[in-house]
Amino acid sequence: MPSFDLLPGAEQSPVILHVPHSAREIPAEVRAGIVLDDPALERELDHIVDAHTAELAEEAAGLAGTTPWRFVNRLSRLVVDPERFPDEREEMLAVGMGAVYTRTTGREPLRPADTDPEPLVERWFRPYARAMTEAVAERLAAVGRAVVIDVHSYPSAPLPYELHGEGPRPAVCLGTDPFHTPPELVAAAREAFGEVGLDSPFSGTYVPLEFYGRDPRVSALMVEIRRDTYMTEPGGPAGPGLNRLARALAALVDAVD
């Protein structure tokens, strides 16, 4: 199966809805390197997956006045996490959750500690990064700017892996970057979602490394939605809150366009 999909939007749209953590799929050859038994793995996926965010982005794209592009990861972040730095810059290495996780959300072993991440990075991480880089470059070539809206969710109660879990946990957390997140993008998100917080419990946003800190034509915002506002935790079905959030996300897309 393909590890990601780029779903076309309107040629005049600068917006890419990026959905990196919505999937549960793990190829058999990757599953073989995970030490959890099947029930424990399913429980871990319940905690780590941003459930229903692909559906959220799809519904929002359908509601938006100008259809945004969507870049959707089809594999679990337990294969590789495409949003991590692939080197020592990644702070989540401190809890075994760099580009290739060796620990679970509970800080228990997921893979052997001596796992070599390079084969997984080469097979899955780098092709994803190249494709996302190309998607952003295509928006720049087409309309002169690109806006990456990163669609995530997070649990209502902190999990042990969180490095900054002691702070506020608003209904919607906006992750920002000092270079790539202009004030008007934050203001548009506040208008669209209503109750929001900034950079707590998660901060930052995703920009392909080729543009990161270099190209101001690429703007970005991470939208972290607290799971109890739209689904049954952990890993349960979506509720009516998903439709409300899709309308809000569509409003943000329209404001950016």
Side-chain angles (χ1 to χ4, degrees):
M1 65 173 293
S3 64
F4 53 80
D5 284 326
L6 176 61
L7 300 161
E11 188 58 29
Q12 70 270 27
S13 175
V15 179
I16 301 172
L17 296 179
H18 182 219
V19 187
H21 293 159
S22 65
R24 299 175 72 97
E25 183 71 24
I26 301 174
E29 66 271 24
V30 180
R31 173 68 181 95
I34 291 175
V35 301
L36 302 179
D37 63 23
D38 288 346
L41 179 57
E42 289 302 309
R43 288 193 297 271
E44 179 63 13
L45 288 168
D46 285 345
H47 289 299
I48 199 69
V49 169
D50 292 351
H52 313 296
T53 50
E55 295 96 319
L56 171 63
E58 181 179 12
E59 185 173 343
L63 292 169
T66 301
T67 305
W69 296 66
R70 286 179 288 141
F71 196 105
V72 182
N73 189 6
R74 298 303 184 189
L75 296 182
S76 167
R77 64 197 290 192
L78 298 185
V79 179
V80 294
D81 190 333
E83 295 215 311
R84 302 290 198 237
F85 287 112
D87 52 34
E88 67 282 351
R89 288 174 291 178
E90 181 51 60
E91 70 167 356
M92 295 302 292
L93 285 169
V95 290
M97 300 179 87
V100 175
Y101 296 178
T102 58
R103 293 275 167 171
T104 69
T105 53
R107 302 202 183 193
E108 298 298 324
L110 178 76
R111 291 183 172 93
D114 62 354
T115 296
D116 179 7
E118 183 56 29
L120 291 171
V121 168
E122 180 63 25
R123 174 66 181 87
W124 305 108
F125 183 97
R126 292 194 179 101
Y128 189 107
R130 285 193 295 269
M132 188 65 184
T133 299
E134 291 167 2
V136 170
E138 288 170 1
R139 293 301 85 219
L140 291 175
V143 295
R145 64 189 180 109
V147 184
V148 180
I149 300 177
D150 224 13
V151 184
H152 290 261
S153 70
Y154 75 100
S156 56
L159 293 170
Y161 84 95
E162 294 183 26
L163 294 178
H164 310 289
E166 70 282 354
R169 302 180 83 82
V172 176
C173 162
L174 303 178
T176 67
D177 179 87
F179 186 89
H180 290 284
T181 310
E184 57 269 25
L185 183 52
V186 174
R190 287 188 185 277
E191 178 69 21
F193 287 101
E195 180 192 348
V196 301
L198 291 182
D199 294 314
S200 175
F202 299 99
S203 63
T205 189
Y206 178 77
V207 175
L209 289 176
E210 182 172 319
F211 307 103
Y212 184 66
R214 301 175 183 178
D215 194 333
R217 297 176 300 163
V218 180
S219 55
L221 182 73
M222 179 169 67
V223 178
E224 286 268 9
I225 301 162
R226 204 179 66 220
R227 292 177 190 154
D228 64 337
T229 65
Y230 76 92
M231 63 173 284
T232 301
E233 297 182 271
L242 191 74
N243 305 113
R244 174 182 56 80
L245 289 162
R247 292 192 296 272
L249 183 57
L252 173 59
V253 170
D254 286 341
V256 170
D257 277 333

